[in-house]
Amino acid sequence: CHCRECQYISGGSPNMFLLMPTDGFSYTKGAPKQFARSDLERPVTREFCADCGTGLFYTNETILPGITDIQSGSLDAPDSLPPSAHIQTADRIAWMTDIDSLPEFERFPGS
């Protein structure tokens, strides 16, 4: 997702996530810390690990009622669920359209 809310949540763009019906979702151990952004056009609630700060989930009842977004990068095997679409491209950061043309490095450049 390229929307401004996801840019704030991810610290960049895009934000990769998978959608889960909230009523089919539960915590198996502990509970994450929550942070709500009510000052946004479409308010969101973020949930993250209180110990390490890893973003885990977020909800936006305005545009996705009854849905929990699970941040794909927090999964043990994120490659198992690749993205299937770009959404909210109206808010995409302009340079993201050419991101695939940048040089690639398997690790940090020069290492």
PDB file of all heavy atoms in Angstrom, residues 61-99:
ATOM      1  N   GLU A  61     -10.595   1.304  10.575  1.00  0.00           N
ATOM      2  CA  GLU A  61     -12.030   1.016  10.513  1.00  0.00           C
ATOM      3  C   GLU A  61     -12.769   1.903   9.514  1.00  0.00           C
ATOM      4  O   GLU A  61     -13.866   1.581   9.099  1.00  0.00           O
ATOM      5  CB  GLU A  61     -12.665   1.137  11.898  1.00  0.00           C
ATOM      6  CG  GLU A  61     -12.268   0.016  12.847  1.00  0.00           C
ATOM      7  CD  GLU A  61     -12.728  -1.366  12.364  1.00  0.00           C
ATOM      8  OE1 GLU A  61     -13.842  -1.483  11.818  1.00  0.00           O
ATOM      9  OE2 GLU A  61     -11.958  -2.320  12.534  1.00  0.00           O
ATOM     10  N   THR A  62     -12.148   3.004   9.087  1.00  0.00           N
ATOM     11  CA  THR A  62     -12.782   3.895   8.118  1.00  0.00           C
ATOM     12  C   THR A  62     -12.865   3.252   6.739  1.00  0.00           C
ATOM     13  O   THR A  62     -13.910   3.282   6.094  1.00  0.00           O
ATOM     14  CB  THR A  62     -12.014   5.230   8.017  1.00  0.00           C
ATOM     15  OG1 THR A  62     -11.918   5.803   9.313  1.00  0.00           O
ATOM     16  CG2 THR A  62     -12.709   6.200   7.078  1.00  0.00           C
ATOM     17  N   ILE A  63     -11.760   2.673   6.278  1.00  0.00           N
ATOM     18  CA  ILE A  63     -11.760   2.109   4.926  1.00  0.00           C
ATOM     19  C   ILE A  63     -11.733   0.582   4.886  1.00  0.00           C
ATOM     20  O   ILE A  63     -12.078  -0.001   3.868  1.00  0.00           O
ATOM     21  CB  ILE A  63     -10.610   2.674   4.065  1.00  0.00           C
ATOM     22  CG1 ILE A  63      -9.257   2.375   4.666  1.00  0.00           C
ATOM     23  CG2 ILE A  63     -10.777   4.157   3.826  1.00  0.00           C
ATOM     24  CD1 ILE A  63      -8.087   2.723   3.773  1.00  0.00           C
ATOM     25  N   LEU A  64     -11.327  -0.049   5.990  1.00  0.00           N
ATOM     26  CA  LEU A  64     -11.287  -1.514   6.037  1.00  0.00           C
ATOM     27  C   LEU A  64     -11.926  -2.027   7.330  1.00  0.00           C
ATOM     28  O   LEU A  64     -11.266  -2.640   8.168  1.00  0.00           O
ATOM     29  CB  LEU A  64      -9.840  -2.010   5.940  1.00  0.00           C
ATOM     30  CG  LEU A  64      -9.110  -1.730   4.636  1.00  0.00           C
ATOM     31  CD1 LEU A  64      -7.622  -2.039   4.776  1.00  0.00           C
ATOM     32  CD2 LEU A  64      -9.715  -2.533   3.500  1.00  0.00           C
ATOM     33  N   PRO A  65     -13.233  -1.787   7.496  1.00  0.00           N
ATOM     34  CA  PRO A  65     -13.882  -2.238   8.741  1.00  0.00           C
ATOM     35  C   PRO A  65     -13.836  -3.761   8.880  1.00  0.00           C
ATOM     36  O   PRO A  65     -14.014  -4.496   7.904  1.00  0.00           O
ATOM     37  CB  PRO A  65     -15.322  -1.735   8.601  1.00  0.00           C
ATOM     38  CG  PRO A  65     -15.520  -1.496   7.139  1.00  0.00           C
ATOM     39  CD  PRO A  65     -14.179  -1.175   6.568  1.00  0.00           C
ATOM     40  N   GLY A  66     -13.525  -4.211  10.088  1.00  0.00           N
ATOM     41  CA  GLY A  66     -13.493  -5.647  10.362  1.00  0.00           C
ATOM     42  C   GLY A  66     -12.280  -6.367   9.818  1.00  0.00           C
ATOM     43  O   GLY A  66     -12.243  -7.590   9.774  1.00  0.00           O
ATOM     44  N   ILE A  67     -11.255  -5.607   9.420  1.00  0.00           N
ATOM     45  CA  ILE A  67     -10.047  -6.199   8.836  1.00  0.00           C
ATOM     46  C   ILE A  67      -8.838  -5.816   9.685  1.00  0.00           C
ATOM     47  O   ILE A  67      -8.698  -4.681  10.119  1.00  0.00           O
ATOM     48  CB  ILE A  67      -9.823  -5.693   7.393  1.00  0.00           C
ATOM     49  CG1 ILE A  67     -10.991  -6.068   6.486  1.00  0.00           C
ATOM     50  CG2 ILE A  67      -8.492  -6.184   6.831  1.00  0.00           C
ATOM     51  CD1 ILE A  67     -11.130  -7.554   6.209  1.00  0.00           C
ATOM     52  N   THR A  68      -7.951  -6.779   9.921  1.00  0.00           N
ATOM     53  CA  THR A  68      -6.663  -6.522  10.549  1.00  0.00           C
ATOM     54  C   THR A  68      -5.596  -6.711   9.483  1.00  0.00           C
ATOM     55  O   THR A  68      -5.592  -7.722   8.783  1.00  0.00           O
ATOM     56  CB  THR A  68      -6.411  -7.495  11.722  1.00  0.00           C
ATOM     57  OG1 THR A  68      -7.374  -7.233  12.747  1.00  0.00           O
ATOM     58  CG2 THR A  68      -5.015  -7.322  12.301  1.00  0.00           C
ATOM     59  N   ASP A  69      -4.727  -5.736   9.333  1.00  0.00           N
ATOM     60  CA  ASP A  69      -3.608  -5.822   8.397  1.00  0.00           C
ATOM     61  C   ASP A  69      -2.406  -6.359   9.159  1.00  0.00           C
ATOM     62  O   ASP A  69      -2.000  -5.778  10.162  1.00  0.00           O
ATOM     63  CB  ASP A  69      -3.258  -4.453   7.829  1.00  0.00           C
ATOM     64  CG  ASP A  69      -4.371  -3.860   6.984  1.00  0.00           C
ATOM     65  OD1 ASP A  69      -5.255  -4.614   6.557  1.00  0.00           O
ATOM     66  OD2 ASP A  69      -4.342  -2.652   6.766  1.00  0.00           O
ATOM     67  N   ILE A  70      -1.863  -7.456   8.688  1.00  0.00           N
ATOM     68  CA  ILE A  70      -0.686  -8.055   9.299  1.00  0.00           C
ATOM     69  C   ILE A  70       0.518  -7.661   8.461  1.00  0.00           C
ATOM     70  O   ILE A  70       0.546  -7.901   7.253  1.00  0.00           O
ATOM     71  CB  ILE A  70      -0.823  -9.585   9.369  1.00  0.00           C
ATOM     72  CG1 ILE A  70      -2.074  -9.949  10.180  1.00  0.00           C
ATOM     73  CG2 ILE A  70       0.434 -10.212   9.961  1.00  0.00           C
ATOM     74  CD1 ILE A  70      -2.431 -11.413  10.129  1.00  0.00           C
ATOM     75  N   GLN A  71       1.506  -7.041   9.073  1.00  0.00           N
ATOM     76  CA  GLN A  71       2.675  -6.585   8.336  1.00  0.00           C
ATOM     77  C   GLN A  71       3.505  -7.791   7.901  1.00  0.00           C
ATOM     78  O   GLN A  71       3.971  -8.577   8.726  1.00  0.00           O
ATOM     79  CB  GLN A  71       3.483  -5.623   9.185  1.00  0.00           C
ATOM     80  CG  GLN A  71       2.632  -4.434   9.619  1.00  0.00           C
ATOM     81  CD  GLN A  71       3.321  -3.135   9.476  1.00  0.00           C
ATOM     82  OE1 GLN A  71       4.235  -2.856  10.218  1.00  0.00           O
ATOM     83  NE2 GLN A  71       2.885  -2.339   8.523  1.00  0.00           N
ATOM     84  N   SER A  72       3.642  -7.952   6.589  1.00  0.00           N
ATOM     85  CA  SER A  72       4.277  -9.131   6.009  1.00  0.00           C
ATOM     86  C   SER A  72       5.702  -9.351   6.495  1.00  0.00           C
ATOM     87  O   SER A  72       6.125 -10.484   6.690  1.00  0.00           O
ATOM     88  CB  SER A  72       4.281  -9.039   4.485  1.00  0.00           C
ATOM     89  OG  SER A  72       2.973  -8.922   3.994  1.00  0.00           O
ATOM     90  N   GLY A  73       6.439  -8.282   6.693  1.00  0.00           N
ATOM     91  CA  GLY A  73       7.823  -8.407   7.145  1.00  0.00           C
ATOM     92  C   GLY A  73       7.959  -8.967   8.546  1.00  0.00           C
ATOM     93  O   GLY A  73       9.042  -9.388   8.945  1.00  0.00           O
ATOM     94  N   SER A  74       6.881  -8.991   9.316  1.00  0.00           N
ATOM     95  CA  SER A  74       6.941  -9.532  10.670  1.00  0.00           C
ATOM     96  C   SER A  74       6.748 -11.046  10.695  1.00  0.00           C
ATOM     97  O   SER A  74       6.925 -11.674  11.736  1.00  0.00           O
ATOM     98  CB  SER A  74       5.883  -8.859  11.559  1.00  0.00           C
ATOM     99  OG  SER A  74       4.575  -9.269  11.175  1.00  0.00           O
ATOM    100  N   LEU A  75       6.399 -11.637   9.550  1.00  0.00           N
ATOM    101  CA  LEU A  75       6.195 -13.080   9.493  1.00  0.00           C
ATOM    102  C   LEU A  75       7.523 -13.828   9.489  1.00  0.00           C
ATOM    103  O   LEU A  75       8.537 -13.301   9.033  1.00  0.00           O
ATOM    104  CB  LEU A  75       5.406 -13.444   8.229  1.00  0.00           C
ATOM    105  CG  LEU A  75       4.023 -12.805   8.081  1.00  0.00           C
ATOM    106  CD1 LEU A  75       3.439 -13.144   6.714  1.00  0.00           C
ATOM    107  CD2 LEU A  75       3.099 -13.251   9.198  1.00  0.00           C
ATOM    108  N   ASP A  76       7.525 -15.057   9.959  1.00  0.00           N
ATOM    109  CA  ASP A  76       8.742 -15.874   9.948  1.00  0.00           C
ATOM    110  C   ASP A  76       9.177 -16.208   8.522  1.00  0.00           C
ATOM    111  O   ASP A  76      10.360 -16.378   8.268  1.00  0.00           O
ATOM    112  CB  ASP A  76       8.531 -17.170  10.731  1.00  0.00           C
ATOM    113  CG  ASP A  76       8.438 -16.923  12.231  1.00  0.00           C
ATOM    114  OD1 ASP A  76       8.936 -15.878  12.704  1.00  0.00           O
ATOM    115  OD2 ASP A  76       7.850 -17.773  12.921  1.00  0.00           O
ATOM    116  N   ALA A  77       8.222 -16.333   7.602  1.00  0.00           N
ATOM    117  CA  ALA A  77       8.536 -16.684   6.209  1.00  0.00           C
ATOM    118  C   ALA A  77       7.806 -15.721   5.265  1.00  0.00           C
ATOM    119  O   ALA A  77       6.856 -16.103   4.591  1.00  0.00           O
ATOM    120  CB  ALA A  77       8.140 -18.128   5.925  1.00  0.00           C
ATOM    121  N   PRO A  78       8.246 -14.454   5.194  1.00  0.00           N
ATOM    122  CA  PRO A  78       7.522 -13.483   4.372  1.00  0.00           C
ATOM    123  C   PRO A  78       7.500 -13.828   2.886  1.00  0.00           C
ATOM    124  O   PRO A  78       6.580 -13.429   2.181  1.00  0.00           O
ATOM    125  CB  PRO A  78       8.259 -12.169   4.630  1.00  0.00           C
ATOM    126  CG  PRO A  78       9.582 -12.550   5.170  1.00  0.00           C
ATOM    127  CD  PRO A  78       9.401 -13.866   5.855  1.00  0.00           C
ATOM    128  N   ASP A  79       8.475 -14.597   2.409  1.00  0.00           N
ATOM    129  CA  ASP A  79       8.481 -15.002   1.002  1.00  0.00           C
ATOM    130  C   ASP A  79       7.308 -15.905   0.649  1.00  0.00           C
ATOM    131  O   ASP A  79       6.945 -16.037  -0.518  1.00  0.00           O
ATOM    132  CB  ASP A  79       9.775 -15.736   0.646  1.00  0.00           C
ATOM    133  CG  ASP A  79      10.943 -14.793   0.427  1.00  0.00           C
ATOM    134  OD1 ASP A  79      10.706 -13.593   0.200  1.00  0.00           O
ATOM    135  OD2 ASP A  79      12.087 -15.274   0.470  1.00  0.00           O
ATOM    136  N   SER A  80       6.702 -16.531   1.649  1.00  0.00           N
ATOM    137  CA  SER A  80       5.610 -17.469   1.385  1.00  0.00           C
ATOM    138  C   SER A  80       4.319 -16.761   0.980  1.00  0.00           C
ATOM    139  O   SER A  80       3.407 -17.407   0.458  1.00  0.00           O
ATOM    140  CB  SER A  80       5.360 -18.362   2.595  1.00  0.00           C
ATOM    141  OG  SER A  80       4.885 -17.600   3.689  1.00  0.00           O
ATOM    142  N   LEU A  81       4.225 -15.464   1.218  1.00  0.00           N
ATOM    143  CA  LEU A  81       3.026 -14.696   0.871  1.00  0.00           C
ATOM    144  C   LEU A  81       3.422 -13.434   0.116  1.00  0.00           C
ATOM    145  O   LEU A  81       3.377 -12.331   0.657  1.00  0.00           O
ATOM    146  CB  LEU A  81       2.229 -14.346   2.130  1.00  0.00           C
ATOM    147  CG  LEU A  81       1.677 -15.541   2.897  1.00  0.00           C
ATOM    148  CD1 LEU A  81       1.257 -15.143   4.295  1.00  0.00           C
ATOM    149  CD2 LEU A  81       0.507 -16.150   2.140  1.00  0.00           C
ATOM    150  N   PRO A  82       3.806 -13.563  -1.167  1.00  0.00           N
ATOM    151  CA  PRO A  82       4.238 -12.383  -1.925  1.00  0.00           C
ATOM    152  C   PRO A  82       3.078 -11.436  -2.204  1.00  0.00           C
ATOM    153  O   PRO A  82       1.917 -11.860  -2.244  1.00  0.00           O
ATOM    154  CB  PRO A  82       4.793 -12.975  -3.224  1.00  0.00           C
ATOM    155  CG  PRO A  82       4.092 -14.276  -3.375  1.00  0.00           C
ATOM    156  CD  PRO A  82       3.846 -14.778  -1.979  1.00  0.00           C
ATOM    157  N   PRO A  83       3.367 -10.147  -2.403  1.00  0.00           N
ATOM    158  CA  PRO A  83       2.310  -9.185  -2.721  1.00  0.00           C
ATOM    159  C   PRO A  83       1.632  -9.546  -4.036  1.00  0.00           C
ATOM    160  O   PRO A  83       2.250 -10.127  -4.929  1.00  0.00           O
ATOM    161  CB  PRO A  83       3.033  -7.852  -2.837  1.00  0.00           C
ATOM    162  CG  PRO A  83       4.439  -8.079  -2.460  1.00  0.00           C
ATOM    163  CD  PRO A  83       4.681  -9.535  -2.349  1.00  0.00           C
ATOM    164  N   SER A  84       0.363  -9.182  -4.146  1.00  0.00           N
ATOM    165  CA  SER A  84      -0.385  -9.476  -5.376  1.00  0.00           C
ATOM    166  C   SER A  84      -0.852  -8.214  -6.087  1.00  0.00           C
ATOM    167  O   SER A  84      -1.385  -8.299  -7.186  1.00  0.00           O
ATOM    168  CB  SER A  84      -1.576 -10.381  -5.061  1.00  0.00           C
ATOM    169  OG  SER A  84      -2.424  -9.772  -4.116  1.00  0.00           O
ATOM    170  N   ALA A  85      -0.652  -7.045  -5.469  1.00  0.00           N
ATOM    171  CA  ALA A  85      -1.087  -5.798  -6.101  1.00  0.00           C
ATOM    172  C   ALA A  85      -0.463  -4.601  -5.399  1.00  0.00           C
ATOM    173  O   ALA A  85      -0.074  -4.689  -4.240  1.00  0.00           O
ATOM    174  CB  ALA A  85      -2.607  -5.682  -6.048  1.00  0.00           C
ATOM    175  N   HIS A  86      -0.376  -3.496  -6.129  1.00  0.00           N
ATOM    176  CA  HIS A  86      -0.061  -2.187  -5.557  1.00  0.00           C
ATOM    177  C   HIS A  86      -1.404  -1.501  -5.347  1.00  0.00           C
ATOM    178  O   HIS A  86      -2.231  -1.488  -6.255  1.00  0.00           O
ATOM    179  CB  HIS A  86       0.760  -1.332  -6.535  1.00  0.00           C
ATOM    180  CG  HIS A  86       2.171  -1.753  -6.700  1.00  0.00           C
ATOM    181  ND1 HIS A  86       3.195  -1.208  -5.967  1.00  0.00           N
ATOM    182  CD2 HIS A  86       2.740  -2.661  -7.523  1.00  0.00           C
ATOM    183  CE1 HIS A  86       4.335  -1.758  -6.331  1.00  0.00           C
ATOM    184  NE2 HIS A  86       4.085  -2.647  -7.278  1.00  0.00           N
ATOM    185  N   ILE A  87      -1.625  -0.920  -4.170  1.00  0.00           N
ATOM    186  CA  ILE A  87      -2.863  -0.173  -3.934  1.00  0.00           C
ATOM    187  C   ILE A  87      -2.530   1.242  -3.456  1.00  0.00           C
ATOM    188  O   ILE A  87      -1.413   1.510  -3.027  1.00  0.00           O
ATOM    189  CB  ILE A  87      -3.803  -0.882  -2.931  1.00  0.00           C
ATOM    190  CG1 ILE A  87      -3.141  -1.017  -1.553  1.00  0.00           C
ATOM    191  CG2 ILE A  87      -4.237  -2.239  -3.467  1.00  0.00           C
ATOM    192  CD1 ILE A  87      -4.108  -1.498  -0.475  1.00  0.00           C
ATOM    193  N   GLN A  88      -3.518   2.110  -3.541  1.00  0.00           N
ATOM    194  CA  GLN A  88      -3.385   3.507  -3.126  1.00  0.00           C
ATOM    195  C   GLN A  88      -2.226   4.197  -3.853  1.00  0.00           C
ATOM    196  O   GLN A  88      -1.510   5.012  -3.277  1.00  0.00           O
ATOM    197  CB  GLN A  88      -3.203   3.598  -1.609  1.00  0.00           C
ATOM    198  CG  GLN A  88      -4.369   3.058  -0.793  1.00  0.00           C
ATOM    199  CD  GLN A  88      -5.605   3.910  -0.907  1.00  0.00           C
ATOM    200  OE1 GLN A  88      -6.399   3.712  -1.803  1.00  0.00           O
ATOM    201  NE2 GLN A  88      -5.770   4.857  -0.013  1.00  0.00           N
ATOM    202  N   THR A  89      -2.070   3.910  -5.131  1.00  0.00           N
ATOM    203  CA  THR A  89      -0.957   4.488  -5.898  1.00  0.00           C
ATOM    204  C   THR A  89      -1.115   5.992  -6.126  1.00  0.00           C
ATOM    205  O   THR A  89      -0.134   6.648  -6.495  1.00  0.00           O
ATOM    206  CB  THR A  89      -0.781   3.762  -7.240  1.00  0.00           C
ATOM    207  OG1 THR A  89      -1.989   3.834  -7.983  1.00  0.00           O
ATOM    208  CG2 THR A  89      -0.377   2.305  -7.015  1.00  0.00           C
ATOM    209  N   ALA A  90      -2.279   6.530  -5.872  1.00  0.00           N
ATOM    210  CA  ALA A  90      -2.456   7.986  -5.985  1.00  0.00           C
ATOM    211  C   ALA A  90      -1.551   8.721  -4.998  1.00  0.00           C
ATOM    212  O   ALA A  90      -1.145   9.852  -5.255  1.00  0.00           O
ATOM    213  CB  ALA A  90      -3.913   8.364  -5.747  1.00  0.00           C
ATOM    214  N   ASP A  91      -1.204   8.062  -3.885  1.00  0.00           N
ATOM    215  CA  ASP A  91      -0.332   8.659  -2.869  1.00  0.00           C
ATOM    216  C   ASP A  91       1.109   8.188  -2.986  1.00  0.00           C
ATOM    217  O   ASP A  91       1.954   8.571  -2.171  1.00  0.00           O
ATOM    218  CB  ASP A  91      -0.827   8.307  -1.464  1.00  0.00           C
ATOM    219  CG  ASP A  91      -2.148   8.953  -1.119  1.00  0.00           C
ATOM    220  OD1 ASP A  91      -2.488   9.987  -1.721  1.00  0.00           O
ATOM    221  OD2 ASP A  91      -2.849   8.423  -0.239  1.00  0.00           O
ATOM    222  N   ARG A  92       1.414   7.372  -3.980  1.00  0.00           N
ATOM    223  CA  ARG A  92       2.768   6.819  -4.117  1.00  0.00           C
ATOM    224  C   ARG A  92       3.793   7.946  -4.205  1.00  0.00           C
ATOM    225  O   ARG A  92       3.599   8.938  -4.896  1.00  0.00           O
ATOM    226  CB  ARG A  92       2.850   5.940  -5.366  1.00  0.00           C
ATOM    227  CG  ARG A  92       4.223   5.373  -5.592  1.00  0.00           C
ATOM    228  CD  ARG A  92       4.333   4.350  -6.700  1.00  0.00           C
ATOM    229  NE  ARG A  92       3.427   4.578  -7.811  1.00  0.00           N
ATOM    230  CZ  ARG A  92       2.977   3.612  -8.606  1.00  0.00           C
ATOM    231  NH1 ARG A  92       3.343   2.362  -8.421  1.00  0.00           N
ATOM    232  NH2 ARG A  92       2.165   3.897  -9.594  1.00  0.00           N
ATOM    233  N   ILE A  93       4.900   7.785  -3.493  1.00  0.00           N
ATOM    234  CA  ILE A  93       6.007   8.730  -3.594  1.00  0.00           C
ATOM    235  C   ILE A  93       6.512   8.656  -5.028  1.00  0.00           C
ATOM    236  O   ILE A  93       6.742   7.570  -5.557  1.00  0.00           O
ATOM    237  CB  ILE A  93       7.104   8.388  -2.576  1.00  0.00           C
ATOM    238  CG1 ILE A  93       6.553   8.550  -1.147  1.00  0.00           C
ATOM    239  CG2 ILE A  93       8.337   9.259  -2.784  1.00  0.00           C
ATOM    240  CD1 ILE A  93       7.490   8.058  -0.066  1.00  0.00           C
ATOM    241  N   ALA A  94       6.686   9.799  -5.664  1.00  0.00           N
ATOM    242  CA  ALA A  94       6.973   9.853  -7.099  1.00  0.00           C
ATOM    243  C   ALA A  94       8.166   8.995  -7.506  1.00  0.00           C
ATOM    244  O   ALA A  94       8.115   8.295  -8.522  1.00  0.00           O
ATOM    245  CB  ALA A  94       7.191  11.298  -7.542  1.00  0.00           C
ATOM    246  N   TRP A  95       9.236   8.995  -6.724  1.00  0.00           N
ATOM    247  CA  TRP A  95      10.413   8.233  -7.126  1.00  0.00           C
ATOM    248  C   TRP A  95      10.229   6.720  -7.016  1.00  0.00           C
ATOM    249  O   TRP A  95      11.048   5.950  -7.524  1.00  0.00           O
ATOM    250  CB  TRP A  95      11.665   8.673  -6.381  1.00  0.00           C
ATOM    251  CG  TRP A  95      11.575   8.784  -4.889  1.00  0.00           C
ATOM    252  CD1 TRP A  95      11.456   9.940  -4.174  1.00  0.00           C
ATOM    253  CD2 TRP A  95      11.635   7.726  -3.927  1.00  0.00           C
ATOM    254  NE1 TRP A  95      11.421   9.661  -2.829  1.00  0.00           N
ATOM    255  CE2 TRP A  95      11.530   8.312  -2.653  1.00  0.00           C
ATOM    256  CE3 TRP A  95      11.756   6.342  -4.013  1.00  0.00           C
ATOM    257  CZ2 TRP A  95      11.547   7.565  -1.473  1.00  0.00           C
ATOM    258  CZ3 TRP A  95      11.767   5.588  -2.847  1.00  0.00           C
ATOM    259  CH2 TRP A  95      11.663   6.207  -1.603  1.00  0.00           C
ATOM    260  N   MET A  96       9.148   6.268  -6.394  1.00  0.00           N
ATOM    261  CA  MET A  96       8.893   4.822  -6.292  1.00  0.00           C
ATOM    262  C   MET A  96       8.598   4.193  -7.651  1.00  0.00           C
ATOM    263  O   MET A  96       8.806   3.000  -7.838  1.00  0.00           O
ATOM    264  CB  MET A  96       7.727   4.532  -5.335  1.00  0.00           C
ATOM    265  CG  MET A  96       8.066   4.669  -3.866  1.00  0.00           C
ATOM    266  SD  MET A  96       9.295   3.491  -3.293  1.00  0.00           S
ATOM    267  CE  MET A  96       8.490   1.935  -3.586  1.00  0.00           C
ATOM    268  N   THR A  97       8.127   4.972  -8.613  1.00  0.00           N
ATOM    269  CA  THR A  97       7.810   4.397  -9.927  1.00  0.00           C
ATOM    270  C   THR A  97       9.060   3.918 -10.661  1.00  0.00           C
ATOM    271  O   THR A  97       8.983   3.053 -11.521  1.00  0.00           O
ATOM    272  CB  THR A  97       7.043   5.402 -10.816  1.00  0.00           C
ATOM    273  OG1 THR A  97       7.830   6.576 -10.972  1.00  0.00           O
ATOM    274  CG2 THR A  97       5.692   5.743 -10.216  1.00  0.00           C
ATOM    275  N   ASP A  98      10.237   4.471 -10.329  1.00  0.00           N
ATOM    276  CA  ASP A  98      11.497   4.095 -10.974  1.00  0.00           C
ATOM    277  C   ASP A  98      12.425   3.305 -10.055  1.00  0.00           C
ATOM    278  O   ASP A  98      13.597   3.117 -10.384  1.00  0.00           O
ATOM    279  CB  ASP A  98      12.231   5.350 -11.453  1.00  0.00           C
ATOM    280  CG  ASP A  98      11.455   6.109 -12.505  1.00  0.00           C
ATOM    281  OD1 ASP A  98      10.792   5.452 -13.332  1.00  0.00           O
ATOM    282  OD2 ASP A  98      11.500   7.348 -12.491  1.00  0.00           O
ATOM    283  N   ILE A  99      11.920   2.822  -8.950  1.00  0.00           N
ATOM    284  CA  ILE A  99      12.774   2.188  -7.947  1.00  0.00           C
ATOM    285  C   ILE A  99      13.507   0.954  -8.488  1.00  0.00           C
ATOM    286  O   ILE A  99      14.633   0.667  -8.094  1.00  0.00           O
ATOM    287  CB  ILE A  99      11.962   1.842  -6.673  1.00  0.00           C
ATOM    288  CG1 ILE A  99      12.870   1.643  -5.469  1.00  0.00           C
ATOM    289  CG2 ILE A  99      11.072   0.637  -6.868  1.00  0.00           C
ATOM    290  CD1 ILE A  99      13.139   2.873  -4.711  1.00  0.00           C
TER     291      ILE A  99
END
